[in-house]
């Protein structure tokens, strides 16, 4: 029950965060982040049966929607990785995400995802491929799908956490840094826990979707502070 | 920090024995809800005391001396030092005088500078730096029990709690009212700062010292602007990438 609630909450928040950025994006401001949030909304939607089933039906009913969900999520993490690394001035994180090594990891992930997807028997629509959990290739497919987000999140935990500790930056950005940092940390914790033999039960849903909620709240705060600052406009250099 | 409600009640029955709290608020132009809340909490803020003293025509310094921590205020009043006076002159006024003097060497007339009012945002920090015998911040932290970080934060924000400002005056051996003047709690007249004091102090600065003073001020301004620019750059990076 909690799982369902948080999934819907995440979906609504993502949709709102994406929607408020659309007017700006149409005028050419913040297009990448708007796209990232739209993709994230799509990914969250595809994790929920009422959205997954009709979409998958359109795509042929053989769980192509799940593959779409994976690829969307990878795209979201690449975009986020690049933008968060740049925003929090971390060249190291930037290199780790889109440097040669990062791109190699991404390539391998995409290739492995396609391979395991093709190697699985998926005759009918099932959200999260829950009905085929007993197949080894489906388990590998899911594991690969978690590892890449986990990798990118791990690269971003530190830069965002440092911004939270920076006493000189504005409070709203410190809070946003804290939200983003906890979000990425949750992703890492979730991925690591899944590597152990622990039974996560409800936490399988609560952990990743809490991470999404925190992420969207952090980004929303930054968007808000930007809007307010634009309103105050007239840049003051301190000469007066 | 504030004065206790008990001490406040004793004081106000002395200066206005027949007035109720509402009368007090009306005469002193203090919001009733504010004072009522402060009384309930048992602590009345120093600015409230100052407003009420002004409303009843009681000298502000004498009024404050009735309260714990400010008893020695009237005896500690003195003329502000030249360094204090100069610290309250903006860099623009200093530069204007510098330019006026440079031009006067040619034209023969010295422009009378019309000094910008004070206190302003940088007043408190400039004052602390002007009276600092060397380890003022350290001594302040030790004697008031307020952490250095907290003191720095107050100075950066252009604030200083009244009792800390008075304590700074005690440590530096300057007029105890000066700290209250530069924090804007009391007016220069109430604190015994002569009206033309800054003007006189500035005019008395010899050319060489004026140039050095201007250089120091520009130095401070440059550092501030660099910091602002750095902060701006950081904000812009976050906004451009994530907003």
């Amino acid at each position: 029950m909690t799982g369902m609630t948080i999934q819907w909450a995440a979906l609504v928040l993502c949709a709102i965060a994406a929607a408020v950025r659309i007017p700006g994006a149409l005028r050419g401001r913040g297009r990448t982040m708007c796209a990232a949030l739209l993709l994230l909304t799509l990914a969250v939607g595809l994790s929920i049966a009422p959205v997954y089933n009709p979409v998958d039906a359109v795509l042929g009913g053989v769980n192509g929607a799940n593959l779409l969900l994976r690829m969307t999520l990878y795209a979201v993490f690449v975009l986020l990785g690049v933008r968060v690394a740049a925003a929090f001035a971390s060249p190291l994180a930037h290199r780790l995400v889109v440097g040669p090594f990062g791109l190699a990891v991404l390539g391998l992930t995409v290739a492995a995802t396609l391979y395991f997807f093709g190697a699985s028997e998926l005759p009918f629509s099932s959200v999260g491929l829950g009905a085929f959990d007993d197949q080894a290739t489906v388990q590998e497919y899911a594991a690969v799908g978690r590892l890449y987000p986990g990798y990118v999140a791990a690269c971003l935990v530190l830069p965002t956490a440092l911004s939270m500790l920076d006493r000189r930056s504005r409070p709203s950005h410190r809070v946003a840094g804290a939200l983003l940092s906890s979000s990425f940390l949750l992703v890492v914790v979730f991925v690591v826990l899944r590597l152990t033999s622990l039974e996560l039960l409800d936490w399988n849903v609560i952990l990743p979707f809490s991470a999404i909620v925190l992420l969207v709240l952090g980004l929303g705060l930054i968007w808000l502070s930007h809007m307010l600052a634009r309103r105050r406009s007239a840049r003051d250099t301190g000469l007066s | 920090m504030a004065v206790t409600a008990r001490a406040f009640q004793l004081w106000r029955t002395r200066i206005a024995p027949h007035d109720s709290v509402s009368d007090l608020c009306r005469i002193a132009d203090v919001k009733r809800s504010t004072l009522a809340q402060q009384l309930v909490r048992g602590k009345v803020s120093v600015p409230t005391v100052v407003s009420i003293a002004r409303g009843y025509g009681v000298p502000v310094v004498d009024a404050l001396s009735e309260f714990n921590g400010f008893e020695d205020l009237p005896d500690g009043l003195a003329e502000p030092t030249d360094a204090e006076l100069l610290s309250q002159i903006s860099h623009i006024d200093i530069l204007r005088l510098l330019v006026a003097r440079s031009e006067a060497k040619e034209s023969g007339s010295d422009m009378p500078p019309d000094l910008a009012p004070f206190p302003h945002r940088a007043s408190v920090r400039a004052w602390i730096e002007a009276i600092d015998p060397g380890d003022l911040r350290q001594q302040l932290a030790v004697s008031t029990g307020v952490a250095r970080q907290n003191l720095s934060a107050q100075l950066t924000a252009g604030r200083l709690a009244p009792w800390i400002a008075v304590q700074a005056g005690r440590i530096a051996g300057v007029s105890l009212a000066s700290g209250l003047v530069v924090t804007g709690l009391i007016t220069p007249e109430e604190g015994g700062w002569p009206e033309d004091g800054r003007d006189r102090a500035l005019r008395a600065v010899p050319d060489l010292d004026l140039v050095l003073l201007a250089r120091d001020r520009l130095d401070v301004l440059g550092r501030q602007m660099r910091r602002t620019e750095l902060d701006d750059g950081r904000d812009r990076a976050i906004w451009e990438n994530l907003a």
Side-chain angles (χ1 to χ4, degrees):
Chain A
M1 194 57 227
T2 351
M4 269 306 259
T5 319
I6 198 157
Q7 281 180 320
W8 282 104
L11 179 61
V12 170
L13 276 176
C14 283
I16 292 174
V20 294
R21 284 169 196 252
I22 287 176
L26 291 179
R27 266 174 264 131
R29 272 186 288 110
R31 288 204 166 144
T32 312
M33 282 317 288
C34 182
L37 283 165
L38 284 173
L39 289 174
L40 186 61
T41 311
L42 174 65
V44 173
L46 289 179
S47 318
I48 304 175
V51 180
Y52 182 86
N53 291 333
V55 172
D56 197 45
V58 172
L59 295 179
V62 287
N63 294 305
N66 195 282
L67 192 60
L68 178 65
L69 156 64
R70 296 290 167 202
M71 294 304 159
T72 310
L73 211 53
Y74 298 158
V76 169
F77 269 87
V78 173
L79 293 177
L80 267 184
V82 173
R83 283 314 185 92
V84 172
F88 292 95
S90 170
L92 177 64
H94 191 269
R95 272 205 309 280
L96 285 174
V97 176
V98 285
F101 182 72
L103 290 179
V105 172
L106 177 63
L108 274 178
T109 307
V110 172
T113 304
L114 289 172
Y115 169 75
F116 286 124
F117 184 80
S120 305
E121 286 283 331
L122 309 168
F124 59 90
S125 243
S126 168
V127 64
L129 303 187
F132 315 109
D133 249 358
D134 48 345
Q135 293 179 38
T137 50
V138 169
Q139 287 168 16
E140 298 292 342
Y141 170 81
V144 169
R146 281 190 304 271
L147 280 176
Y148 184 70
Y151 168 73
V152 175
C155 296
L156 301 176
V157 171
L158 215 55
T160 44
L162 287 179
S163 85
M164 161 180 78
L165 298 177
D166 185 353
R167 317 178 110 261
R168 307 267 333 255
S169 66
R170 50 176 79 215
S172 61
H173 287 178
R174 293 180 66 184
V175 175
L179 288 168
L180 294 182
S181 185
S182 4
S183 161
F184 296 135
L185 191 63
L186 271 188
V187 174
V188 175
V189 166
F190 171 65
V191 173
V192 169
L193 283 180
R194 283 300 301 250
L195 291 176
T196 67
S197 54
L198 286 175
E199 280 292 335
L200 293 181
L201 308 169
D202 272 359
W203 294 97
N204 262 323
V205 175
I206 296 174
L207 284 177
F209 284 87
S210 307
I212 290 172
V213 169
L214 290 173
L215 173 78
V216 173
L217 288 179
L219 293 177
L221 195 58
I222 290 170
W223 178 82
L224 204 65
S225 92
H226 186 217
M227 277 298 154
L228 295 176
R230 274 166 56 88
R231 209 160 286 172
R232 271 183 255 115
S233 67
R235 193 159 153 273
D236 180 13
T237 59
L239 182 67
S240 72
Chain B
M1 151 118 167
V3 305
T4 62
R6 238 178 75 82
F8 172 81
Q9 295 285 20
L10 280 174
W11 171 71
R12 73 120 173 151
T13 48
R14 204 150 357 108
I15 63 161
H18 307 298
D19 286 4
S20 67
V21 169
S22 337
D23 296 333
L24 220 60
C25 291
R26 189 168 36 77
I27 290 170
D29 200 17
V30 176
K31 264 174 83 181
R32 256 190 72 177
S33 55
T34 310
L35 181 56
Q37 208 169 43
Q38 291 180 354
L39 286 173
V40 167
R41 291 212 193 108
K43 283 174 185 298
V44 177
S45 77
V46 176
T48 306
V49 173
V50 171
S51 307
I52 292 172
R54 282 184 190 141
Y56 283 89
V58 179
V60 172
V61 169
D62 294 342
L64 285 175
S65 71
E66 308 266 340
F67 297 101
N68 200 2
F70 299 106
E71 294 93 343
D72 52 345
L73 204 51
D75 294 333
L77 281 190
E79 285 271 305
T81 62
D82 279 357
E84 287 182 278
L85 289 164
L86 289 177
S87 79
Q88 299 305 307
I89 300 173
S90 74
H91 65 274
I92 295 177
D93 286 330
I94 289 170
L95 291 175
R96 282 208 342 230
L97 181 68
L98 187 63
V99 171
R101 278 199 193 166
S102 314
E103 285 171 348
K105 294 277 182 285
E106 293 155 26
S107 68
S109 75
D110 198 333
M111 180 187 73
D114 212 1
L115 298 182
F118 80 107
H120 45 82
R121 234 187 95 77
S123 274
V124 187
R125 186 187 286 277
W127 176 70
I128 288 284
E129 263 149 33
I131 64 167
D132 191 351
D135 58 348
L136 179 58
R137 287 175 171 84
Q138 185 59 38
Q139 284 199 50
L140 258 187
V142 171
S143 63
T144 60
V146 174
R148 287 272 316 242
Q149 274 183 342
N150 194 326
L151 283 177
S152 299
Q154 290 193 36
L155 291 181
T156 304
R159 287 186 279 112
L160 199 59
W163 56 295
I164 302 179
V166 172
Q167 179 64 16
R170 284 192 199 107
I171 293 171
V174 299
S175 175
L176 297 190
S178 291
L180 304 179
V181 172
V182 299
T183 49
L185 181 68
I186 65 179
T187 64
E189 300 83 65
E190 288 167 343
W193 281 42
E195 201 184 328
D196 61 342
R198 292 189 303 156
D199 209 72
R200 209 164 12 87
L202 184 57
R203 281 170 194 282
V205 176
D207 286 355
L208 172 61
D209 290 351
L210 185 64
V211 170
L212 297 181
L213 181 62
R215 181 202 60 185
D216 291 347
R217 289 303 192 82
L218 287 178
D219 216 35
V220 171
L221 180 66
R223 275 205 301 272
Q224 263 167 13
M225 283 175 67
R226 189 173 309 143
R227 212 175 304 141
T228 311
E229 211 162 272
L230 215 68
D231 290 349
D232 278 3
R234 207 170 3 197
D235 285 343
R236 262 206 310 281
I238 289 181
W239 284 331
E240 274 169 15
N241 286 294
L242 296 179

